Amino acid sequence: MKTPMQKMMRRIHGLLFKLPLMITCDEFEGFILAYLEDDLPPRQKFVFETHLKVCRECRDYLAAYRTSLELARASYRDDPAAPDDMPEDLVKAIVAARKADG
Amino acid sequence: MMAVARRLVGDEALAQDCVQNAFADVFRGLDGFEERSRLSTWMHRIVVNQGLMALRKQKRLQEISIDDLLPAFDQNRCRIEEQWISAETPESLMQRDQTKDVVLSKIASLPENYRIVLLLRDIEEMSTSDVAQTLQISESNVKVRLHRARSALKMLLEPLLRGETS
Ligand SMILES: [Zn+2]
């Protein structure tokens, strides 16, 4: 399945990620959510983006992760009632009626 | 309200029950409401809670295990990810007829603990702390589940994203 060349490249990748300011792919995985929510301190953000530059696998993975999230949001978006369309008037009327009741 | 319930429980009759119960809760709770938050936010929360209760009662059988849907790494801790040759944009994918149905059915097939977090955070747009409160789990647990749910969904949607028919 994998040529010796590809195997060697992967091993080099693995070694590269041991250098200072480098993280492995599984460490990268643990930072994704915080990165997308802009919750990473500057240094970790730099480390994350550096990994993204040197790692084709994580770049592809993150792009597909974002696309599928976008699709999930879009698939629900044309739902007839978004959370904001609650019948505010109706509830206000009910509140008023209850108050009148005592 | 019906849409919120339907998204959570995925069943029309059950969703109707949830909305009815939610209205009962709304009536009962009105005295305690006092404009603390927007009415719509408050009612949204009530429907969500009703939906969760309904799901808890209705134990779902044979779910896929989340472990089978998480990303893979080799012994060098490097990611195993097939190359993406052409990446379509969400916009162009949404233009196709089946996309929405496929996406909704894949979300429905996620293990429940993960699906609920994904729905509440990404679709209902509740905050991490609100979701933690509603589900009575820690915020870090919400984050872990949200990330796993998104990863799992990405894997389930791969055939669609790669333009393979399935
Ligand atoms: Zn990587």
Side-chain angles (χ1 to χ4, degrees):
Chain A
M1 294 202 314
K2 279 218 165 73
T3 66
M5 184 66 187
Q6 280 172 321
K7 264 192 190 151
M8 194 182 75
M9 286 309 293
R10 287 192 74 87
R11 203 161 310 138
I12 291 172
H13 238 171
L15 287 172
L16 179 70
F17 296 153
K18 292 202 177 82
L19 293 171
L21 288 181
M22 287 286 182
I23 45 173
T24 58
C25 296
D26 64 349
E27 288 168 319
F28 175 93
E29 181 73 23
F31 287 135
I32 291 178
L33 190 73
Y35 176 76
L36 293 180
E37 314 216 314
D38 210 11
D39 262 350
L40 287 181
R43 187 190 150 92
Q44 278 179 345
K45 190 172 168 181
F46 175 79
V47 167
F48 183 94
E49 286 172 345
T50 305
H51 184 94
L52 209 51
K53 281 196 193 100
V54 298
C55 182
R56 192 279 301 163
E57 280 84 356
C58 284
R59 221 165 31 236
D60 279 359
Y61 174 84
L62 187 62
Y65 178 103
R66 293 180 116 139
T67 305
S68 70
L69 177 58
E70 215 16 76
L71 285 181
R73 291 196 169 124
S75 296
Y76 280 105
R77 202 168 293 141
D78 31 350
D79 234 25
D84 266 338
D85 305 338
M86 293 290 184
E88 198 107 356
D89 294 349
L90 175 65
V91 179
K92 285 208 173 113
I94 299 169
V95 177
R98 294 249 318 186
K99 279 192 184 137
D101 261 5
Chain B
M1 286 176 99
M2 202 50 208
V4 177
R6 212 181 286 130
R7 283 199 284 263
L8 270 172
V9 300
D11 174 276
E12 192 66 26
L14 206 55
Q16 277 173 10
D17 288 350
C18 288
V19 171
Q20 264 173 34
N21 292 339
F23 266 111
D25 286 352
V26 168
F27 273 104
R28 239 174 280 134
L30 276 178
D31 295 333
F33 174 63
E34 293 180 43
E35 316 278 331
R36 270 174 281 114
S37 52
R38 284 189 59 212
L39 271 172
S40 56
T41 315
W42 179 65
M43 288 177 63
H44 181 247
R45 185 78 64 84
I46 288 175
V47 186
V48 166
N49 279 328
Q50 279 296 339
L52 292 176
M53 269 199 277
L55 283 174
R56 238 169 267 143
K57 275 186 222 152
Q58 183 213 22
K59 263 197 190 135
R60 295 211 304 175
L61 298 167
Q62 40 164 259
E63 288 185 332
I64 334 171
S65 157
I66 192 82
D67 294 328
D68 298 333
L69 300 172
L70 296 180
F73 302 92
D74 67 12
Q75 73 277 17
N76 305 311
R77 302 168 75 194
C78 288
R79 185 186 298 282
I80 299 168
E81 177 82 6
E82 235 183 281
Q83 196 147 4
W84 291 80
I85 293 145
S86 69
E88 271 197 82
T89 64
E91 291 76 28
S92 75
L93 284 162
M94 282 310 287
Q95 244 134 54
R96 278 192 233 138
D97 288 342
Q98 357 68 303
T99 300
K100 190 177 156 183
D101 292 339
V102 173
V103 174
L104 294 181
S105 78
K106 294 300 181 191
I107 292 176
S109 73
L110 289 172
E112 194 138 297
N113 282 340
Y114 298 90
R115 187 178 65 89
I116 287 169
V117 173
L118 181 109
L119 280 179
L120 297 184
R121 272 287 330 257
D122 286 338
I123 310 300
E124 305 294 335
E125 296 178 348
M126 288 167 66
S127 71
T128 301
S129 66
D130 280 351
V131 176
Q133 236 182 355
T134 306
L135 299 177
Q136 296 184 315
I137 56 178
S138 69
E139 290 193 22
S140 61
N141 202 340
V142 172
K143 289 179 187 173
V144 168
R145 287 198 207 174
L146 177 64
H147 176 63
R148 290 194 180 153
R150 289 173 174 180
S151 306
L153 182 64
K154 176 248 173 206
M155 180 170 285
L156 289 169
L157 289 178
E158 276 209 39
L160 179 86
L161 297 179
R162 289 185 189 273
E164 297 156 16
T165 44
S166 89

